[in-house]
């Protein structure tokens, strides 16, 4: 079992031009002498219920942080913390290539559908080091986009922003990179960097254009500890 703790910098909310510091956690489990399974740093939490021939499928979950009006700097409405649940499918095409897609439904908060497609190129030497990098395409339905990027008539009157009603579709493209490195069998380092660019209706939102940014940067680093549980 490997557990990790560190810190990360992320945008205050989707579309923000300001960052905030948050804790960074890591948890991995491997059986026997098998290496820890590969996980990209921006994967939603998932449990493979079916796995065969490099293909895996199972439930997925994520927590989307809340957005307060004070974060935006205008009375455009808040979005409560959202628990997102759904599923994922991935395919390990080779030792160095992995493809993954997921789709999740928001429970509370944005109440929308959101998902992603991604690919990762992986370089690894067992558990001594693992490095990955790859592209992402993020998509959602209209309910998700209107929660974060829309401006209804009441908000337009209160904020002097133009009324805006986005549709669903691809709202961002991104690139993510992750690294883990073992200094010893017990102690290691892990970290990630991610760049996201809002596109489509999300990029046209007055919240993004006038109060935020299309460019979303995040990254973090932490220390890990590996131990064995005897059965």
């Amino acid at each position: 079992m490997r557990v990790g703790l560190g810190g990360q910098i992320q945008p205050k909310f989707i579309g923000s031009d300001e960052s905030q510091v948050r804790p960074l956690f890591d948890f991995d489990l491997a059986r026997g002498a098998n290496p820890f399974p590969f996980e990209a740093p921006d994967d939603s939490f998932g449990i493979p219920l079916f796995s065969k021939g490099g293909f895996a499928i199972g439930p997925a979950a994520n927590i989307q942080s809340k957005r307060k009006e004070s974060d935006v700097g205008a009375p455009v409405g808040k979005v409560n913390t959202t628990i997102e649940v759904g599923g994922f499918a991935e395919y390990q095409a080779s030792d160095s290539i992995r493809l993954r897609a997921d789709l999740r439904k928001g429970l509370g908060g944005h109440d929308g559908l959101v998902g992603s497609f991604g690919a990762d190129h992986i370089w690894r030497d067992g558990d001594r080091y693992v490095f990955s990098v790859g592209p992402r395409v993020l998509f959602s339905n209209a309910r998700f986009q209107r929660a974060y990027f829309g401006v209804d008539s009441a908000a337009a009157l209160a904020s002097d922003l133009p009324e805006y009603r986005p549709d669903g579709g691809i709202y961002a493209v991104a690139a993510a990179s992750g690294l883990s490195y073992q200094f010893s069998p017990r102690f290691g380092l892990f970290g990630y960097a991610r760049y996201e660019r809002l596109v489509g209706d999300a990029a046209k939102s007055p919240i993004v254009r006038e109060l935020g940014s299309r460019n979303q940067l995040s990254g973090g680093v932490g220390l890990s500890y590996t131990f064995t549980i005897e059965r």
Side-chain angles (χ1 to χ4, degrees):
M1 186 176 294
R2 183 169 62 196
V3 294
L5 177 64
Q8 61 182 327
I9 297 175
Q10 292 183 321
K12 274 191 171 182
F13 59 90
I14 301 173
S16 176
D17 61 353
E18 297 182 15
S19 298
Q20 62 182 358
V21 178
R22 293 176 177 170
L24 176 63
F25 304 102
D26 185 42
F27 176 81
D28 297 293
L29 186 66
R31 293 182 178 275
N34 295 323
F36 287 99
F38 169 74
E39 293 179 349
D42 54 349
D43 282 352
S44 56
F45 175 75
I47 300 174
L49 295 183
F50 173 82
S51 181
K52 184 175 182 181
F55 179 78
I57 188 170
N62 185 52
I63 298 178
Q64 188 68 251
S65 299
K66 64 182 178 181
R67 185 193 74 183
K68 299 179 292 184
E69 288 188 335
S70 59
D71 293 332
V72 183
V76 294
K78 67 177 182 179
V79 183
N80 292 326
T81 301
T82 308
I83 298 174
E84 300 170 346
V85 296
F88 80 94
E90 68 177 39
Y91 178 60
Q92 193 76 37
S94 68
D95 290 340
S96 59
I97 300 293
R98 188 204 68 163
L99 308 176
R100 181 181 170 106
D102 68 359
L103 181 66
R104 306 179 306 275
K105 173 69 170 67
L107 304 179
H110 63 69
D111 281 326
L113 282 171
V114 60
S116 66
F117 295 109
D120 291 279
H121 195 292
I122 307 158
W123 295 265
R124 73 181 302 170
D125 179 7
D127 288 327
R128 191 170 73 87
Y129 72 82
V130 181
F131 175 73
S132 66
V133 63
R136 308 283 188 266
V137 176
L138 287 71
F139 59 91
S140 69
N141 66 357
R143 179 170 290 182
F144 175 91
Q145 296 214 33
R146 288 167 189 167
Y148 287 102
F149 310 120
V151 181
D152 61 23
S153 57
L157 287 173
S159 65
D160 292 329
L161 294 173
E163 191 171 343
Y164 186 68
R165 188 175 175 84
D167 290 323
I170 295 174
Y171 73 88
V173 294
S177 179
L179 171 68
S180 65
Y181 181 82
Q182 290 296 122
F183 299 117
S184 70
R186 293 291 187 187
F187 294 97
L189 175 76
F190 70 101
Y192 80 97
R194 190 174 189 273
Y195 169 71
E196 182 178 314
R197 174 85 170 171
L198 298 178
V199 298
D201 283 6
K204 299 173 185 176
S205 167
I207 295 175
V208 175
R209 289 188 292 106
E210 301 184 27
L211 303 173
S213 173
R214 295 178 64 185
N215 300 308
Q216 308 284 284
L217 293 169
S218 57
V221 65
L223 295 174
S224 64
Y225 180 73
T226 304
F227 58 97
T228 301
I229 299 176
E230 300 290 347
R231 296 185 62 182

